Amino acid sequence: MSLISFPADRPLDLIALGRLCIDMNANEINRPMEETLTFTKYLGGSPANIAIAAARLGVRTGFVGKVADDQFGRFIRQYLTKEGINTDNVVTDRTGSVTGLAFTEIRSPQDCSILMYRDNAADLKLAPGEVKEDYIKQAKALLISGTALAKSPSREAVFMALEYAVKHGVRVIFDVDYRPYSWNSLEETGIYCRMVAEKSDVIIAGREEFDLMEAPFGELRHDDWYTAEMWFRCKARLVLVKHGSKGSIAFTKDGKTYRAGTFPANVVKTFGAGDSFAGAFIYGLFQGWSVDRCQQFGSASASIVVSSHSCSDAMPTVEQIEAVIAQHSGRNDL
Ligand SMILES: Nc1ncnc2c1ncn2[C@@H]1O[C@H](COP(=O)(O)OP(=O)(O)OP(=O)(O)O)[C@@H](O)[C@H]1O
Ligand SMILES: O=C(O)C[C@@H](O)[C@H](O)C(=O)CO
């Protein structure tokens, strides 16, 4: 029996909600951005990356978001359409907002950072009235990216989408996706993310992101098992804790724990791992796979993307992921 009982016969499998941005990845890698002369433009934004990852694996994917009325906004919409992602609830802002930019610095394979230009970003101007109930109810699952909670009216749009999802039996997958540059305080982050996590069926986050949701309430333990139990007392059936190059630990409400390692990678940059992991993991859930198989698929996907210059463009196909798994089939630590 599948861990997450998705509703059947929906026109879409997954709808992602949140940031649609542009990554500008430094071409001159292994040096500080002060020395960078050129960048390559990619579609960016964690939920956009996850949507692309899922769609490239065959997940029927839609998106709820807002883009700027500029060349980048048009590029984003065209890219999503080219990837087969439904954009019926992607709204174009007409107030003069701009597209969020993520300038990525690759000082070394292990030392990467992101310089964010987020002022007046269109994605955070998504309004509650622009989230369509008739759209949300078409999906089996709604992926909420935590950064969409960072500012109003996007914050209220998230809660509107969440209400529609619960009303129509759409499963909620919450990727905390903490990005400090968009928030006013850690407490604010913890409080609003916790409000979504309490209504989520699946919660995906790093250890520090779970800590953010525990700290404001005096529940900080830095303990994955404690964290999982806390969320199982709410609505969660699956809690996935990401631990970077150390792998991941998944907890299911039936009391089982699944540890996964990482696949070898020729690391170019660290970021993009979480989004590729999440997209492939969610694909596995839709396939009805066991949790450990979903984790293995996600880990293999991440090893491909961290070995690539881009995030979105590098999201792999099923065949590419299966080839990585086959290449290391003899190992028992993956
Ligand atoms: N260096 C690596 N080599 C291979 N796999 C990795 C590496 N780093 C991370 N992964 C895989 O990707 C998963 C998610 O990585 P991580 O915990 O860094 O997520 P994240 O912080 O959300 O990433 P992102 O940088 O995309 O925000 C890990 O659980 C692991 O399976
Ligand atoms: O999510 C962001 O704003 C940055 C992403 O576009 C970037 O690709 C990344 O950090 C992926 O995790």
Side-chain angles (χ1 to χ4, degrees):
M1 179 182 141
S2 174
L3 177 73
I4 305 291
S5 58
F6 293 109
D9 305 328
R10 297 279 171 99
L12 294 171
D13 297 316
L14 179 71
I15 290 175
L17 185 155
R19 189 155 78 268
L20 290 162
C21 298
I22 294 289
D23 282 354
M24 300 291 272
N25 291 8
N27 291 326
E28 296 82 11
I29 63 175
N30 301 328
R31 68 186 71 177
M33 203 184 296
E34 289 85 346
E35 298 170 16
T36 298
L37 296 176
T38 64
F39 297 84
T40 299
K41 176 186 78 177
Y42 303 108
L43 180 72
S46 178
N49 289 337
I50 297 173
I52 291 160
R56 209 162 279 174
L57 298 171
V59 174
R60 297 170 301 157
T61 305
F63 208 96
V64 176
K66 198 163 204 177
V67 295
D69 186 11
D70 63 12
Q71 291 88 331
F72 285 149
R74 290 187 286 277
F75 165 77
I76 289 168
R77 191 183 289 276
Q78 289 163 14
Y79 191 105
L80 294 175
T81 301
K82 176 173 68 71
E83 291 291 328
I85 295 172
N86 181 290
T87 59
D88 291 349
N89 206 165
V90 174
V91 183
T92 298
D93 180 74
R94 308 288 183 194
T95 67
S97 64
V98 297
T99 300
L101 300 179
F103 291 93
T104 61
E105 178 179 52
I106 305 173
R107 300 174 74 96
S108 78
Q110 285 71 36
D111 181 9
C112 301
S113 63
I114 296 182
L115 176 61
M116 297 303 300
Y117 282 21
R118 298 274 304 146
D119 290 347
N120 196 29
D123 57 272
L124 289 172
K125 295 181 182 298
L126 178 70
E130 292 170 328
V131 178
K132 301 305 177 195
E133 179 175 2
D134 286 347
Y135 190 72
I136 297 289
K137 74 179 187 181
Q138 292 182 59
K140 294 181 177 182
L142 171 68
L143 169 77
I144 293 174
S145 174
T147 299
L149 292 160
K151 285 189 174 42
S152 296
S154 171
R155 176 178 293 165
E156 290 75 16
V158 170
F159 288 112
M160 184 67 83
L162 186 57
E163 282 307 306
Y164 292 151
V166 171
K167 177 179 175 182
H168 293 286
V170 177
R171 298 290 176 256
V172 178
I173 301 169
F174 181 42
D175 185 318
V176 174
D177 178 44
Y178 175 58
R179 306 283 175 158
Y181 39 74
S182 287
W183 290 93
N184 292 324
S185 72
L186 293 175
E187 292 76 16
E188 182 188 55
T189 308
I191 289 164
Y192 283 109
C193 285
R194 189 167 169 129
M195 289 165 70
V196 171
E198 287 171 344
K199 295 190 174 183
S200 297
D201 301 278
V202 178
I203 307 170
I204 303 173
R207 179 62 259 163
E208 297 74 21
E209 293 170 327
F210 279 111
D211 290 347
L212 280 174
M213 295 191 286
E214 295 171 14
F217 306 90
E219 297 176 319
L220 190 56
R221 300 287 186 285
H222 306 296
D223 182 297
D224 292 350
W225 283 260
Y226 172 86
T227 293
E229 284 306 315
M230 187 178 102
W231 293 115
F232 291 147
R233 289 195 293 274
C234 297
K235 189 183 169 197
R237 297 184 56 76
L238 171 63
V239 173
L240 181 61
V241 188
K242 300 178 288 185
H243 286 283
S245 56
K246 294 185 176 64
S248 62
I249 306 178
F251 301 86
T252 52
K253 193 166 186 175
D254 59 4
K256 294 182 179 145
T257 302
Y258 305 85
R259 287 180 180 276
T262 57
F263 284 86
N266 300 315
V267 180
V268 170
K269 57 164 186 14
T270 54
F271 51 87
D275 300 341
S276 49
F277 182 93
F281 187 93
I282 292 167
Y283 167 82
L285 290 178
F286 284 130
Q287 300 299 305
W289 291 350
S290 62
V291 172
D292 48 358
R293 188 176 178 195
C294 294
Q295 272 179 294
Q296 182 189 54
F297 208 68
S299 301
S301 176
S303 72
I304 292 168
V305 172
V306 297
S307 304
S308 310
H309 187 254
S310 80
C311 293
S312 53
D313 275 15
M315 292 298 175
T317 62
V318 170
E319 294 72 20
Q320 289 170 320
I321 295 172
E322 287 177 342
V324 167
I325 294 170
Q327 187 183 351
H328 302 283
S329 57
R331 291 181 50 174
N332 59 11
D333 61 338
L334 297 175

